Amino acid sequence: MAAGTRGAVFLACFRGGGAEGSGHRLALRPRYPPMPRRTKAAAVAGDLEAAAGADEEGEEEEEKVAVFAVTGMTCAACAGSVEKAVKRLPGIHDAAVDVLGCRAQVAFYPAFVSEEKIRETIEDVGFGAKLIDEELREKSILVCRLHIKGMTCTSCANTVESTLQAVPGVQRASVALAIEEAEIRYDRRVVAATQLVNAVEESGFEAILVTAGEDRSRIDLKVDGILDETSVMIVKSSVQALPGVEDIKIDTELQKITISYKPDKTGPRDLIEVIESAGSGLVAVSIYPEADGREQHRNGEIRRYRQSFLWSLLFTIPVFLTSMVFMYIPGLKDGLDKKVVNMMSIGELLRWILSTPVQFIIGRKFYTGAYKAMCHGSPNMDVLIALGTNTAYFYSVYSVLRAATSENYMSIDFFETSSMLISFILLGKYLEILAKGKTSEAIAKLMDLAPETATVLIYDKEGNVVSEKEIDSRLIQKNDVIKVIPGGKVASDGFVIWGRSHVNESMITGESRPVAKRKGDTVIGGTVNENGVLHVRATFVGSESALAQIVRLVESAQMAKAPVQKFADQISKVFVPLVIFLSLLTWLTWFLAGRFHGYPSSWIPSSMDSFQLALQFGISVMVIACPCALGLATPTAVMVATGVGASQGILIKGGQALESAQKVDCIIFDKTGTLTIGKPIVVNTRLFENMVLREFYDYVAAAEVNSEHPLAKAIVEHAKKFHSEETHIWPEARDFISVTGHGVKAKIGDKSVIVGNKSFMLSLDIDVPVEASEILMEEEEKAHTGIIVAMDQEIVGIISVSDPIKPNAHEVISYLESMKVECIMVTGDNWGTANAIGKEVGIQNIIAEAKPEQKAEKVKELQLLGRTVAMVGDGINDSPALVAANVGMAIGAGTDVAIEAADIVLMKSNLEDVITAIDLSRKAFFRIRMNYVWALGYNIIGIPIAAGVLFPSTRFRLPPWVAGAAMAASSVSVVCWSLLLRYYKRPLITQERQK
């Protein structure tokens, strides 16, 4: 595929339809988080300018959508013919055709075209059409995201998820502990986003709305200046008067204005200008510095835990020194042992005073978390910490008070246990949050592709550039003209209106060579301009850009749970109650054994009785058990893997796709566009009559130029080479007839020209000589497609067309087989071509002349045999098989429908990425399995040791503060083990290919 075409097709993949629930009825619904989609911009430069003029005059009419039942379509070429014909009509905003569903959905402006005209146009192309739906209903199903604060383990995440699922109008809720976010699919007619926030907060957690999922843009602005009641009212009324403004909220305390608007009507610069004017020049407005809420919340949480840990350390170190160090220094020991009241010593009093703020002020978050968890019947890690530290603290208080009221009671306290436990847990949480932040670095790197500033050109009324202005790239508005200098980044998606250059799109499309750009060509935001200066008109800005769509896809993927996560969820439901029971059982066992059977004197320290020994064991069991590590085992690895995949050009749609990919043992490849480049070229021409080759191709091209079939396009492109002028006009074709899958017939000048396959010729009573049949067989063996040309009922030539095999296809198949993955090719092409292609790439198992439904049937056949099947394809006819397969992999330069149906999208269209996707998933799940070993290992080994199984034989006991340190280390080790995936290296074959 040509570089420019591939980049344009890939960009179109992100502009093919609405987001999930937007009413784009032709898109197949995937089983995992969908590829973000939006309505295509069919307008060219002139259309955009005309639309802008209509906006200024206030005459723009509301868009309507109609759906037609289309009969007679058999392949993608048919769908392309219908779509192209409809889009040529005036007033068409967008058209999408579903060949499998036999439907066409058209967005149009009624002032320019009617449903009847659209129906007639479809019938003129040669297909039946019937209007089945007249208007697109209002989008009601939205997907919102919430940032949730206060979750500590899987139990917390399950509580939030259950709470949200119980809200009327919520269709699906998914909570990700690793990134502390929830993604909710809801019906806005039943429930509002603010109600979802309230539901989370009622369950005991803090929720912050990240996005409500509504089809609009939102911006946070900071106001420097005085905002009194009068100015707030003026600003609010002034902004609401602007066209396209949907909502405005003003927070006078934070000096923050949040505005939701339609980017087609207005933009951030207009909003800032209006607010500053309404403030009579007394206020200055800029983009709010905390626009990235998620990063801000994470940084705030890191700061809070660091401060809490440092304050805790300030009090805990003296407690530790007085209880475990100074007691062994003679002079200091005597001072600490000096009695204050009866048997209460100075050391005990100091430890009590120092540990109290740690227990009740610094550690209050554990109390609040435990209280909320118990109120909702879902005990979590906070409950274990609160029980363990309170047991140690209040027993110590009892012991000290008893010593103060007794003349002979020798007290022993555990103040160091409670304070050191809290300190270690705070340290562990601090390190855990730092590590978890690194799991999202891939998203941060994607977002960093967009430049910070952009140069906007200012035009006068005559359309001449009068000045240029550098602005924050976030202030770019639709239809702005951006100047991109050599070496600079394209600041927004758009199309070139002036200039020529080459643009490096590798960071988005994976195209290694710079793509030539000139007037009318599309460009993608975040790509790099190589040489010439370009003037680009912005079409998609902010959240509508291709880069933002990719980021949202990766974010959605990171929210989706892998099936293996259910294992951790099931354990977490009973984990905390079980640990509490085990700790009580441990204490009771040791206490009763000491009380009724007694311990040897060597077992118990001189200062400790059997109750105190049993108490230490019980507390150790309670605090060493950590459900956090178990909850983080899967999501952290999935987050890193999906992020790494995105950076490698592989979009993995969630944990389920990742888990299925690592089990794949059989891959079905489509041929055209997957194993082959997908762009046929003419490789040979054989004439049976004496005629000039240019004249021969003039006749053939004149007939084929009316066809949308890929082979026809290849012939026309080849015919252009015989003419020096770029816009050669072919002779007029009269009485044109196209027979899908067979060929075309037309009257060109004084000749009747027929172009098609052998069966088409025989059906028209044209004799195919033996020489022509032999040539067709020879070409078929070479994996070429032979196209017969007849003039006036006589065969005059054969054109051989070939679709070149992708580079390294043979090596990829060989490498997959070395990975114990069987490769199968399924194609709709003839057996001769299929066998030739299969032999060249090294595939033995071949299925040819297969219809779309037969591809899906082959997938199901293999699945019934117990195979885990992956399907790799790029076309509309591959969609049923992509959905049916355990893992559907869509080539990035393929159709929108294929990409929507797939579980993994190979953005770079490189066949080697199939290997990378499977290899990455296997590496990720090795990490996940090891994470479970880490998480469960801490508990399986640690709990018995904490309970004292080694004590009778070795006198080894695990102090509670050491158990707390082990608990904190378990979560950190799990996250760090997942983070090692960041250093993933592609298999050798793909590394060599990149070089």
Side-chain angles (χ1 to χ4, degrees), residues 909-921:
S909 298
N910 290 336
L911 208 54
E912 297 92 325
D913 286 342
V914 174
I915 295 174
T916 304
I918 295 174
D919 184 66
L920 175 60
S921 67

Side-chain angles (χ1 to χ4, degrees), residues 474-495:
R474 293 172 295 179
L475 297 177
I476 296 174
Q477 299 184 176
K478 196 169 184 179
N479 289 329
D480 279 346
V481 177
I482 312 297
K483 178 182 177 182
V484 188
I485 61 174
K489 287 185 177 181
V490 179
S492 170
D493 292 2
F495 59 88

